């Protein structure tokens, strides 16, 4: 086994902490008026983290960027459901998770999560894996934004291997899907789980490529849309669509379930929720409107990089 194949949790932790700092610094600069507060927390069962929150900024209504490192004597059911042979093992999990809820409805909401988990049992070798990715949830349909997002994601994956992007893109489309609505959460991106292909070195390289490409994928979209005029109609649509985001997080998201089942800090786990949201009964947009185009053309799995 080469040195790069030896799991190095300390290296992962240092990169994750640095990623949180770099992202917060960049988002503060983009917002211009808002500043992140830091909330350090500890977990009675073991571990803790730092939740950083920016609220009521010029650009972001809420931006949450959290780092956590938790451990315990037994894997939560959400982590062992797909790998029942690991049930009962102790665990150590660390990661960075963020959700950004912009003020302007023309700027998409976005989510990033990158994580590393080790399942341990006395007398047996540890089992480790990486997971995470990022996805984009627009409220208005801009093809140039979706193409830039996926182009950046593909370029990041191709630094690791030519077949990685299609697999992670497909996994993202499948995962961020509201089964009870029959629609995707947004235009997708990248997602992987239980990833250990090629050993520790290549797997860590993939997660670094995902995390390090997030800002180049997102910030150009922000700059393109942040000054787009909007009114009450666009704001109302944004709040209704945010309701779908809440539905996914509370009904389908395994990360939310893992955090709650592992005894994580509830405020930090639910920082992903938008500050304002609405539900309207059976709201249907006017045919031919931008809102209808979002539902009809954007909230379906699609190859955003296919030649015209």
């Amino acid at each position: 086994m080469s040195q790069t194949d030896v799991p190095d949790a300390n290296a992962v932790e240092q990169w994750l902490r640095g990623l949180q700092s770099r992202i917060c610094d960049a988002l503060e600069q983009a917002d211009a008026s808002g500043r992140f507060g830091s909330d350090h927390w500890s977990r009675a069962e073991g571990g803790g983290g730092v939740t950083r929150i920016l609220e009521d900024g010029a650009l972001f209504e809420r931006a949450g960027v959290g780092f956590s490192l938790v451990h315990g004597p037994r894997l939560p059911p959400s982590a062992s459901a797909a790998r029942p042979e690991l049930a009962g093992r102790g665990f150590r999990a660390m990661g960075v998770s963020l959700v950004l809820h912009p003020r302007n409805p023309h700027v998409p909401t976005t989510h990033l999560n990158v994580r590393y988990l080790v399942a341990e049992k006395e007398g047996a070798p540890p089992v480790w894996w990486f997971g995470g990715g990022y996805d984009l949830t627009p409220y208005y349909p801009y093809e140039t934004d979706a193409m830039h997002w996926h182009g950046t994601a593909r370029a990041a994956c191709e630094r690791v291997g030519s077949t990685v992007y299609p697999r992670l893109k497909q996994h993202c489309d499948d995962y961020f899907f509201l089964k009870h609505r029959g629609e995707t959460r947004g235009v997708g991106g990248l997602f992987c789980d239980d990833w250990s292909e090629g050993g520790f070195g290549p797997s860590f390289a993939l997660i670094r490529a995902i995390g390090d490409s997030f800002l180049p994928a997102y910030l150009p979209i922000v700059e393109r849309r942040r000054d787009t005029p909007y009114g009450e109609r666009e704001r109302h649509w944004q709040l209704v669509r945010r309701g779908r985001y809440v539905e996914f997080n509370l009904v389908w998201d395994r990360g939310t379930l893992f955090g709650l089942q592992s005894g994580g800090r509830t405020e930090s786990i639910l920082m992903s929720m938008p500050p304002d949201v609405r539900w309207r009964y059976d709201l249907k947009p006017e045919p031919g409107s931008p809102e209808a185009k979002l539902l009809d053309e954007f909230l379906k799995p699609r190859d955003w990089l296919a030649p015209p």
Side-chain angles (χ1 to χ4, degrees):
M1 179 182 290
S2 68
Q3 191 62 34
T4 59
D5 288 331
V6 177
D8 187 347
N10 289 332
V12 179
E13 179 184 348
Q14 292 308 308
W15 175 75
L16 288 169
R17 290 184 182 275
L19 180 68
Q20 183 190 35
S21 295
R22 293 195 304 274
I23 289 176
C24 288
D25 290 346
L27 296 180
E28 278 190 350
Q29 185 175 357
D31 190 278
S33 71
R35 292 292 178 266
F36 279 95
S38 293
D39 188 5
H40 295 254
W41 55 273
S42 60
R43 175 176 170 275
E45 295 85 351
V50 182
T51 300
R52 300 193 63 185
I53 295 286
L54 183 159
E55 291 192 298
D56 297 322
L59 173 62
F60 297 109
E61 267 190 279
R62 170 177 291 169
V65 187
F67 166 81
S68 62
L69 195 167
V70 300
H71 52 88
R74 189 177 298 274
L75 272 171
S78 60
S80 60
R83 305 179 73 167
E85 73 277 10
L86 301 181
R89 285 194 175 216
F91 74 95
R92 179 175 297 269
M94 63 184 77
V96 165
S97 183
L98 71 78
V99 178
L100 310 179
H101 290 292
R103 189 176 299 279
N104 189 318
H106 294 278
V107 182
T109 283
T110 189
H111 159 262
L112 162 77
N113 177 270
V114 282
R115 58 189 181 272
Y116 176 64
L117 195 146
V118 182
E120 300 170 310
K121 180 180 179 181
E122 188 174 352
V127 178
W128 58 266
W129 64 92
F130 289 92
Y134 51 61
D135 68 295
L136 193 72
T137 305
Y139 304 105
Y140 281 89
Y142 294 103
E143 292 198 16
T144 53
D145 294 352
M147 291 170 64
H148 167 79
W149 178 257
H150 279 275
T152 307
R154 182 174 65 182
C157 291
E158 286 181 344
R159 295 203 297 268
V160 180
S162 61
T163 65
V164 175
Y165 167 75
R167 294 171 59 194
L168 269 59
K169 192 263 187 194
Q170 181 66 56
H171 197 173
C172 189
D173 289 339
D174 293 342
Y175 181 75
F176 291 105
F177 187 79
L178 285 79
K179 299 178 182 66
H180 62 292
R181 298 282 188 181
E183 62 188 36
T184 59
R185 187 165 81 172
V187 298
L190 304 171
F191 185 71
C192 65
D193 207 358
D194 297 335
W195 188 278
S196 58
E197 292 186 13
F200 178 83
S203 297
F204 187 21
L206 173 61
I207 289 299
R208 289 200 307 271
I210 293 172
D212 293 342
S213 67
F214 171 76
L215 290 173
Y218 185 63
L219 289 183
I221 298 172
V222 170
E223 293 307 313
R224 193 180 296 133
R225 306 298 169 198
R226 64 184 300 164
D227 295 324
T228 304
Y230 68 93
E232 179 56 33
R233 167 181 165 164
E234 291 82 6
R235 175 62 171 171
H236 180 264
W237 177 249
Q238 178 194 44
L239 296 184
V240 170
R241 294 306 306 174
R242 281 179 175 178
R244 302 292 202 267
Y245 206 89
V246 172
E247 290 176 21
F248 180 85
N249 279 14
L250 294 182
V251 177
W252 300 109
D253 187 55
R254 292 199 300 268
T256 301
L257 194 59
F258 176 89
L260 296 174
Q261 289 179 346
S262 63
R265 184 170 181 267
T266 301
E267 285 297 312
S268 298
I269 296 164
L270 298 183
M271 72 176 182
S272 63
M273 298 303 173
D276 292 299
V277 63
R278 291 180 186 172
W279 277 270
R280 288 285 303 277
Y281 180 78
D282 201 24
L283 178 66
K284 290 183 172 60
E286 179 183 348
S289 66
E291 294 85 358
K293 182 178 180 180
L294 179 81
L295 299 185
D296 296 340
E297 300 181 22
F298 275 60
L299 301 187
K300 295 177 171 63
R302 174 175 166 183
D303 182 358
W304 294 99
L305 302 179

